[in-house]
Amino acid sequence: MGRKVALVRSAQSIQAADSLPSNVGRASRVHALIDAFGLNDKLDIIEPEPLDNDTLTIFHSEEYIDCLFAIDSDSEYSYGSNKSDEDDEKDRQQRFGLVHDCALFEGVEEHVRYAAGGTVAAANILVDGQAQIAIHWEGGRHHSQRSKAAGFCYVNDVVLGILALQKRFSRVLYIDLDLHHGDGVQDAFLYSSRVMTLSLHHYDRGFYPNSGGEISEGRGNGAGYSVNVLLQRGTNDSSFIHVFSAVANKVLTAFDPEVIVVQCGCDGLAGDPHKIFNLTSNAFARSIKTVLGWERPALLLGGGGYSLPECARCWTRLTAIACGYDIAPEADVPEHVFLNEYAPGFDMLTDVMLIEDSNTNAYLDSIVQAVQAALPNQS
């Protein structure tokens, strides 16, 4: 493609990402495989700075950030030993969603600051014209709300990145490829006509986050600018590629974005523990090739994905595509520190499951037609 590519990472940001309880060690494996394929020599490596509170609170509330960072290096809360204060603090954590899947953990502040700082740094690279494609695989935390953690997401780096992009770009298209609905990003821009969100996800009763069940969910000036593609259990590469190509090109025509942000959560891979979709890296590769083929600045982010080797395979391949190459799924995994985790095949393949794709052709066509009807400025 001949476009300049920047990968945002540092030893500190990788370590901070590795500490996230839902994805322990994932970042190390992703970047080790990227380097094993020699891709680090084909792009610019940009080291992020941890984001300060002033920038975090451009989106998040000060009260939420204060509660989020109320754990010190000794894993003791700042309230001290007073039982009443302890109860008050636990109530506050409950209010801000810092319980269950988003319980506070040692290292959460460093994780949040680097996750957000990396995405904002990647956005600023595009704003300043230092590169045409910026990548931050430790970003993509799309569930967090302004004042609430959710779905393993303690910060919405995506929203902060989009706000940074708006310093230069008037129209931002956000595409979410995660198995789960990109609810936090959609909610942040629900009333905006400057940001269009397109989320392709599984939707079913009781399936997290129990949102994204309508094709179009924009409000006010944002009517028609929040688009959802609801996919059924067993979605395979053929169905995903078909509906993505059809819908994405219609969105491109209707919105004419100046920059594109893609959340590449890969928990829809067949090898992911969720086992809801039946995708291989081909679905993501074709989608990213389509987006990059539009020849507009692009920000690629990570997201969900709970099989460490599958995430590393997928995001390494997408990194190669951004650099103008591709890695065949049949390619051998090069020798590196985590090679044994790719047994028994030691290749880049994702093994599909023997399950039925519940999406019929008629259903997929109806989704495309419904999206067409919902988009703004349609005759």
Side-chain angles (χ1 to χ4, degrees), residues 17-311:
D18 277 348
S19 71
L20 184 64
S22 59
N23 300 117
V24 174
R26 185 177 71 174
S28 288
R29 285 151 178 82
V30 170
H31 292 285
L33 191 58
I34 286 172
D35 292 352
F37 274 99
L39 297 174
N40 52 314
D41 294 328
K42 302 182 186 301
L43 41 70
D44 291 338
I45 304 291
I46 305 297
E47 296 192 357
E49 295 292 331
L51 211 61
D52 57 38
N53 283 21
D54 287 343
T55 310
L56 285 169
T57 54
I58 291 175
F59 174 63
H60 291 288
S61 69
E62 291 184 12
E63 295 80 7
Y64 171 69
I65 294 300
D66 288 344
C67 184
L68 182 61
F69 295 162
I71 181 171
D72 64 23
S73 59
D74 295 323
S75 299
E76 293 293 331
Y77 298 106
S78 60
Y79 48 71
S81 58
N82 186 288
K83 183 66 167 61
S84 177
D85 289 346
E86 179 179 348
D87 289 342
D88 288 346
E89 186 67 14
K90 288 181 177 178
D91 288 343
R92 194 163 70 121
Q93 292 166 14
Q94 179 81 35
R95 187 168 77 252
F96 291 122
L98 297 170
V99 292
H100 307 307
D101 59 346
C102 286
L104 290 173
F105 63 94
E106 187 173 358
V108 66
E109 180 172 349
E110 187 176 30
H111 160 69
V112 165
R113 293 194 187 279
Y114 273 109
T119 296
V120 170
N124 286 332
I125 288 167
L126 300 180
V127 168
D128 296 338
Q130 299 175 50
Q132 291 72 51
I133 303 170
I135 304 171
H136 180 228
W137 293 129
E138 289 66 65
R141 314 311 303 180
H142 61 167
H143 291 309
S144 178
Q145 302 285 339
R146 180 176 182 270
S147 294
K148 196 168 188 178
F152 308 130
C153 300
Y154 296 82
V155 63
N156 202 314
D157 64 285
V158 185
V159 172
L160 290 165
I162 290 173
L163 293 173
L165 288 170
Q166 288 183 323
K167 291 183 291 187
R168 173 183 173 186
F169 303 105
S170 297
R171 294 182 306 282
V172 182
L173 171 60
Y174 171 71
I175 301 174
D176 195 310
L177 305 180
D178 201 277
L179 176 67
H180 303 88
H181 178 230
D183 56 334
V185 184
Q186 176 184 282
D187 291 349
F189 299 105
L190 200 64
Y191 290 85
S192 176
S193 60
R194 294 184 60 198
V195 178
M196 175 170 280
T197 62
L198 169 61
S199 179
L200 295 87
H201 55 267
H202 180 60
Y203 178 80
D204 200 0
R205 181 178 299 176
F207 185 75
Y208 189 86
N210 299 303
S211 62
E214 301 292 333
I215 295 292
S216 179
E217 297 188 346
R219 302 287 184 269
N221 290 337
Y225 291 88
S226 295
V227 178
N228 293 307
V229 174
L230 289 58
L231 295 172
Q232 305 297 318
R233 186 175 291 270
T235 296
N236 62 25
D237 287 350
S238 177
S239 292
F240 194 94
I241 292 167
H242 168 73
V243 75
F244 179 84
S245 298
V247 168
N249 283 304
K250 291 183 186 301
V251 167
L252 175 70
T253 300
F255 187 55
D256 190 25
E258 296 178 358
V259 63
I260 299 99
V261 179
V262 189
Q263 197 266 23
C264 303
C266 52
D267 39 7
L269 288 170
D272 189 87
H274 279 91
K275 298 191 179 302
I276 300 291
F277 285 175
N278 199 20
L279 303 177
T280 75
S281 66
N282 288 333
F284 293 86
R286 285 284 298 274
S287 299
I288 294 304
K289 286 177 181 179
T290 295
V291 170
L292 298 184
W294 297 339
E295 297 190 346
R296 303 174 196 218
L299 170 56
L300 306 184
L301 301 173
Y306 306 96
S307 164
L308 306 189
E310 293 290 5
C311 286

